[in-house]
Amino acid sequence: MIAHLQGKLVEKTPTHVVIDCGGVGYHVNISLHTFSLLPNTDFIKLFTYLQIKEDAHTLFGFVEKSEREIFKMLLTVSGIGASIARTMLSSLDPKQVTQAIASADVGTIQSIKGIGSKTAQRVILDLKEKVMKLYDLDEVSMLQNNTNRDEALSALEVLGFVRKASEKVVEKIVKEDPEASVESIIKKALKNL
């Protein structure tokens, strides 16, 4: 397997990059998260995952090793293919994916295009223990923080704010103060929206 590629960035789009390694150009599929983390230099290094199928060999690249590990975990779930896993990591950052799985947040996982409620539940059922162990997460605090976060997001949505914009602001607030109450999250979010 190809573990990583290091070379000159020849082409860059939100869905793929082409890296020249010793005169050979590798077409590497990437998530929007990786795209946002790509350096502004010509020389890059990506951790890769090579998917081999009967009709294609497809390379997926990640700036962070942790994102690659989450991608590989998602592929073990029945009903999740490489394109859905990549879509999930494009819609949510790796930390949000692990938090959604650890806190059994079906709504967040189901919000990804191509994932229905049964698949979302299967993702949680199959990966929750792995994620909790791997990232050493505390289930109780995850659920409590997630509930406050979700209630604040719902309230902001009712007030007419776009969910995507609200999520970024609320996520930042929760990261700064994990013990924040729903009311304080909403008040701080209103100041930043």
Side-chain angles (χ1 to χ4, degrees):
M1 184 170 132
I2 301 170
H4 75 267
L5 289 174
Q6 195 167 314
K8 186 177 190 276
L9 182 63
V10 179
E11 187 181 321
K12 175 181 165 183
T13 73
T15 57
H16 77 272
V17 292
V18 175
I19 302 173
D20 184 323
C21 301
V24 178
Y26 290 92
H27 181 280
V28 184
N29 294 293
I30 59 171
S31 67
L32 286 175
H33 178 71
T34 288
F35 179 75
S36 69
L37 295 177
L38 284 173
N40 289 329
T41 60
D42 285 347
F43 190 78
I44 66 166
K45 176 180 180 178
L46 289 181
F47 298 100
T48 58
Y49 174 77
L50 176 63
Q51 184 181 51
I52 300 174
K53 288 186 168 183
E54 287 177 22
D55 58 344
H57 290 210
T58 312
L59 261 176
F60 294 90
F62 311 93
V63 169
E64 303 168 324
K65 264 188 182 177
S66 60
E67 186 182 9
R68 178 178 67 179
E69 297 314 307
I70 293 165
F71 180 80
K72 285 162 56 175
M73 268 198 294
L74 288 169
L75 292 181
T76 65
V77 178
S78 173
I80 302 278
S83 64
I84 290 179
R86 184 170 72 156
T87 301
M88 187 182 277
L89 290 165
S90 292
S91 305
L92 306 168
D93 68 46
K95 208 172 233 173
Q96 289 173 312
V97 173
T98 55
Q99 286 179 341
I101 293 169
S103 60
D105 186 354
V106 176
T108 298
I109 296 171
Q110 197 177 336
S111 70
I112 310 302
K113 186 176 182 263
I115 295 182
S117 66
K118 283 186 179 174
T119 306
Q121 289 167 359
R122 196 175 308 119
V123 167
I124 291 166
L125 188 69
D126 291 359
L127 300 180
K128 185 172 181 175
E129 279 186 36
K130 285 181 190 173
V131 166
M132 299 285 280
K133 238 181 254 169
L134 193 63
Y135 296 96
D136 196 29
L137 298 172
D138 179 19
E139 191 169 6
V140 178
S141 68
M142 291 296 301
L143 285 169
Q144 186 241 326
N145 290 345
N146 201 30
T147 303
N148 288 352
R149 181 182 149 272
D150 287 348
E151 285 181 31
L153 282 171
S154 297
L156 289 167
E157 219 170 356
V158 169
L159 292 171
F161 292 96
V162 179
R163 187 165 181 100
K164 279 277 187 212
S166 301
E167 277 178 343
K168 286 179 183 173
V169 173
V170 168
E171 209 58 55
K172 187 179 176 190
I173 294 165
V174 171
K175 199 178 281 182
E176 289 171 1
D177 182 11
E179 302 301 315
S181 67
V182 177
E183 295 81 16
S184 71
I185 293 172
I186 294 169
K187 285 177 184 174
K188 288 176 184 173
L190 288 172
K191 289 177 186 173
N192 294 315
L193 285 171

